Amino acid sequence: MNCLAIAGAGLLTLSLATGCFAKEPPPAPSDSSYALSGTIEGLDKGWVYLTHIGATSRIDSAQVQKGKFSFSGAVAAPELCVLAFSGPGVQRQNGPYFFLAGGHLTLTGRKEAFSTAVISGNPVQQEYLQFSAAEAGIKDEGRQKQQAKTFARQHPSSYVSAFALLEYFSYNVDEKELDSLYTGLDIPVQTSFLGLQVKEILRGAKLTAVGNPAPVFTQDDVDGRPVALASFKGGYVLVDFWASWCGPCRQENPNIVKAFHQYHTKGFSIVGVSLDEQKERWVAAIKKDGLAWTQVSDLKGWDNQVAALYGIKGIPMNFLLDKDGKIIAKGLTGEALEKKLAELLP
């Protein structure tokens, strides 16, 4: 398990962080007009919010009257969207993701379980429902990833294929495998917002492929002093991406602490790159977890410049460098890190 910037709920977070809000939707051909209507049982009145996820994100809103609401507009191409609602005495509740495209969509759901509301209608959304249903029926993550690959290869013209690749190929990517899947998509899907996100992941994966020189960087440590990766040449170095708010990262830290203390005197160092935004929480986590190695951050969260350079879309993630600064392994967790270091530093 890992924390993702661009899959599931994280995709919305990334989009809202990097985009902006527009009061009016962009112009689109008339044949791409849509209508979305729905009923939320148990909600007499309130507001429903429609978030369009894209390069320029925006939020539309509609009033709920006796449980019913509606939206209409136009989209130039299918968009991944998400709904939420609020009402008197009801905190904002997030609903399901869906694909908005030309045609009519309907939603049926309940106030108490809005995340399970069913949205059906246009062909792209039906493909998404098909993919989601198959995904839900598979419990093993490896088989889910295989199902995503199969879907993308069988549906090269579907925007859902780009979503599937984002969901399962945002972390510790095999660049050759993803390149084959991405180039197999039709051009309109490749150049869509979701497709371009896949392309960016592929760029980072190629740059940080095993055998390549690690991208060099300089970033400030907890005391504001600049630390250059180049200064660690001559020894084995683990560039470790994490954050205080990332549960899986904190669970993995004891394994890294163990490896550090076991191999540090033999020539092993670590540079931790934090995707935190609040210095106090970052420093407190370093102390609590006993991370006795160099830590850097620009406190910009997912917009961390080093993370962007390395194409990081999920954490924890790490890259092991040899004495010349070349990447020799990546994504080492649990016993895998200790095993690799035992081979290099017996």
Side-chain angles (χ1 to χ4, degrees), residues 86-131:
S86 64
V90 181
Q91 292 185 341
R92 185 172 174 132
Q93 301 286 327
N94 290 326
Y97 286 87
F98 66 98
F99 276 85
L100 190 64
H104 186 226
L105 285 167
T106 58
L107 175 146
T108 54
R110 295 182 296 111
K111 180 180 72 173
E112 294 79 10
F114 193 50
S115 63
T116 62
V118 177
I119 302 177
S120 58
N122 66 64
V124 184
Q125 175 62 8
Q126 295 308 115
E127 288 177 340
Y128 177 66
L129 294 176
Q130 173 191 345
F131 171 75

Side-chain angles (χ1 to χ4, degrees), residues 192-210:
S192 68
F193 172 73
L194 298 180
L196 291 176
Q197 298 299 305
V198 177
K199 184 179 180 180
E200 175 61 17
I201 292 171
L202 183 57
R203 179 205 64 79
K206 288 181 177 179
L207 182 65
T208 58
V210 171

Side-chain angles (χ1 to χ4, degrees), residues 317-331:
M317 183 59 190
N318 57 50
F319 301 83
L320 182 61
L321 318 183
D322 68 8
K323 297 178 180 181
D324 296 318
K326 183 175 68 177
I327 298 172
I328 56 175
K330 60 182 181 178

Side-chain angles (χ1 to χ4, degrees), residues 2 36 50 55 161 164 214-215 240 284 290 336:
N2 46 74
L36 167 61
L50 170 62
S161 293
D240 181 49

